[in-house]
Amino acid sequence: MGVVAELLLVRHGQSLANVAFPAADKDGLLEAEVSGRDAEVPLTEYGEQQAAALGEWIGDRPENERPQVVITSPYLRARETWRIAAEKSGVELPEPTTDDRLVDRLLGDLEMLTRAAVAQRFPDEAQRRSDAGEYRYAPPGGESFADIEVRLGSFLDDLHRDHAGQRVIVVAHDAVVLMMRAVIEQLSWEKVLEAERAAGSVRNASLSRFVEVDGRLELAYYNQVDHLPPA
């Protein structure tokens, strides 16, 4: 089976939750200044600027380097990142599709809860998490990083089958970008953590690019943000 010619992974632009939850956790608050479902969290104004910068970067690429296939997470922040980017690019780009296997990590009963709220409502979770280990720990009703790896493996199998030889861009989430490395490079959890320590957490609107070499994907760069405006 062939593989895609290029896979460009993009994390969505800064979302309201990306700002509200760190602020709430810093102050030990039970609630963050964002509500509703995780899937419907919007971009901030700066997140929209990041998406626009992504579009300008895509528009500046030669036609033979632009994506031929666009797939996004169904979450609003990912879809909006691509919508804004495509509009700002000034060039004709493919219509995006969504794939449920590209959603952010499912946190189940812990979704949209601050650290203080989790500690108050689910006092046993810290011990469960410690006992299971970060890779295998799944929140109540949620999923582990191991689960994410499985669904992304399925996604990549279908991607290579359906789009072999094509340039693909995926707009999704930090957990997706990180665990794509585990699947593509066949990294152990320890190696995944090493990669994260080396490059830092996956940044909003960052670019991580894989290219086909001798029938397999190889990492060209990871977590790159040179195209983005200053915060």
Side-chain angles (χ1 to χ4, degrees), residues 6-10 54 57-58 61 66-72 82 85 93-94 97 102 155 159 166-172 207:
E6 175 187 79
L7 177 58
L8 187 65
L9 304 174
V10 181
L54 170 66
W57 179 83
I58 292 171
R61 300 182 77 183
R66 295 174 196 152
Q68 297 167 296
V69 178
V70 180
I71 309 174
T72 80
W82 179 254
L93 294 168
T97 61
L102 297 176
F155 170 80
L159 187 72
Q166 293 184 291
R167 299 180 300 277
V168 179
I169 188 168
V170 164
V171 184
L207 305 172

Side-chain angles (χ1 to χ4, degrees), residues 39-40 72-76 78-79 98-103 173:
E40 298 303 323
T72 80
S73 160
Y75 284 17
L76 177 63
R79 290 186 285 111
T98 62
D99 193 302
D100 288 345
R101 292 170 292 186
L102 297 176
V103 298
H173 309 272

Side-chain angles (χ1 to χ4, degrees), residues 86-108:
E87 289 180 356
K88 191 66 174 178
S89 72
V91 299
E92 186 174 347
L93 294 168
E95 285 297 314
T97 61
T98 62
D99 193 302
D100 288 345
R101 292 170 292 186
L102 297 176
V103 298
D104 206 352
R105 184 184 181 187
L106 300 175
L107 295 179

Side-chain angles (χ1 to χ4, degrees), residues 178 181 189-202 222-223:
L178 183 66
R181 289 200 62 176
W189 181 243
E190 290 72 23
K191 291 294 184 182
V192 169
L193 294 180
E194 285 182 16
E196 186 173 42
R197 284 193 292 268
S201 299
V202 180
Y222 179 67
N223 207 16

Side-chain angles (χ1 to χ4, degrees), residues 112-135:
M112 301 295 282
L113 295 183
T114 65
R115 291 177 185 170
V118 170
Q120 182 186 76
R121 300 182 198 179
F122 299 91
D124 296 333
E125 280 309 293
Q127 188 60 53
R128 282 191 63 244
R129 184 173 183 173
S130 177
D131 291 345
E134 197 65 21
Y135 178 64

